[in-house]
Amino acid sequence: MLPDLVEKALRAGFRRAYFHVQVDPERYLRHVRRAYGLPIQSWSDMQGMDESALNPIAQRVITSAKRTAALEGTGLGFGGLLTILPDMGILSAITIRMLQRLSLIYGFEYSTEEEVTSLWLAAASAAGLDLGREFLEKQAIERVVPRIIDRIAAKVGAEVAEKWAGRVIPILSAGAGGTLNYYFVRAWGRRAHLHFLDRHRELRARGLEPNAARPYMLNPAVGRLNP
C-alpha cells in the first residue's frame, strides 16, 4: 500500500504546485539584484553572465531548500504515515520553488505555456526521467504538464516508498522524515542544477536567445544532458 500512497500523495502535491506555487519573478529579481549586487535589469541578462557568478547563487538556493525540507520533514514526521499526505504536499512545493529559482538564476523564465512546460521537463529530469521527443509530440499542450506529473509520481513513488517505510512508527519517524526530505531535495537540486547549467552553457556557446535553445533532456545514467 505504501508505494501507492506515496505516488498519490506526490501526484496531488505536484498538481497543486503546478496550479498554485510560483516564485514571483519580478520580486525575486529585485532580491537577487540587491543581495548579490548583479548588474541586471531582467532575467534574460543572466544569459550573458559567467557561470562562476551564477553557480554560488544556485548552490545557496539548493542549500536553503534542503534545510527547509529537513525542518518540515522533522516536524511532520512525528505523525508517521498519518502526515505523509501533507508532508508530500509541502515537499512538492519546496521542490518546485527551488526549481523555479534555479531556472530564473540561469535566465529561463516561465511566463508562457512553452516555458512552463520546459520547467516541468526540468522537474522530470531532476526525478531521473528521460522523456523523449515522441512523448511531447503525442501530447496536446494543455495535457503535457499533467502527463509529466503523472510520470514523475509513478517513477518516484516506488523509489521513495522503500525509504519512507520508517515513517510507519510515529514519533521515531521524525528524524527519518527530516533526513529523507533533505536527501530528496538534494538529489533533485543536483540534477536540476546540471540541467539549467548545461542549457546556460549551450546558449552562451551558440549565442542564442533562451527561447531559441534546443530542448535538452537529462540522461540519468550519466548525469549529463543529451539532445
Side-chain angles (χ1 to χ4, degrees):
M1 292 177 59
L2 188 56
D4 290 340
L5 179 63
V6 173
E7 180 180 339
K8 291 178 181 178
L10 283 170
R11 182 182 292 110
F14 281 122
R15 284 182 180 268
R16 282 194 297 270
Y18 172 42
F19 289 107
H20 303 297
V21 175
Q22 178 169 318
V23 173
D24 185 333
E26 291 302 319
R27 183 176 180 181
Y28 191 52
L29 177 67
R30 293 193 295 270
H31 166 75
V32 169
R33 187 166 52 200
R34 180 178 63 255
Y36 300 100
L38 299 181
I40 57 173
Q41 300 301 316
S42 66
W43 287 115
S44 61
D45 293 339
M46 301 295 258
Q47 290 292 334
M49 300 194 65
D50 190 85
E51 64 184 72
S52 62
L54 304 182
N55 289 342
I57 304 175
Q59 291 299 332
R60 289 191 180 186
V61 167
I62 297 172
T63 298
S64 176
K66 289 188 298 186
R67 290 173 178 170
T68 303
L71 290 172
E72 179 270 326
T74 300
L76 289 180
F78 281 101
L81 290 180
L82 295 176
T83 55
I84 197 168
L85 287 175
D87 185 14
M88 291 296 98
I90 298 173
L91 183 62
S92 298
I94 292 170
T95 303
I96 293 304
R97 288 179 68 86
M98 175 185 69
L99 295 181
Q100 290 172 342
R101 290 189 174 101
L102 291 174
S103 181
L104 292 172
I105 286 168
Y106 288 99
F108 304 104
E109 298 187 65
Y110 38 84
S111 57
T112 67
E113 285 187 337
E114 290 77 10
E115 290 169 344
V116 170
T117 299
S118 180
L119 177 68
W120 281 93
L121 285 173
S125 297
L129 281 171
D130 188 5
L131 300 179
R133 187 186 303 274
E134 64 278 1
F135 172 83
L136 299 178
E137 292 175 346
K138 293 179 180 178
Q139 312 297 328
I141 185 66
E142 67 273 9
R143 291 294 302 160
V144 170
V145 173
R147 291 292 176 84
I148 292 174
I149 290 174
D150 289 344
R151 290 288 189 93
I152 292 174
K155 170 71 164 53
V156 178
E159 298 175 355
V160 169
E162 182 178 354
K163 298 177 182 178
W164 253 262
R167 294 188 58 143
V168 172
I169 305 175
I171 307 299
L172 297 180
S173 66
T179 301
L180 291 169
N181 282 12
Y182 178 92
Y183 285 107
F184 179 91
V185 172
R186 186 180 73 166
W188 278 58
R190 285 179 173 178
R191 288 179 176 270
H193 187 201
L194 274 176
H195 180 94
F196 293 120
L197 177 58
D198 275 13
R199 287 187 66 192
H200 180 267
R201 287 171 175 171
E202 186 223 2
L203 291 179
R204 294 202 74 199
R206 302 177 70 201
L208 296 177
E209 292 299 319
N211 290 337
R214 293 176 299 168
Y216 272 70
M217 300 305 301
L218 187 68
N219 183 338
V222 296
R224 299 295 296 173
L225 297 175
N226 293 333

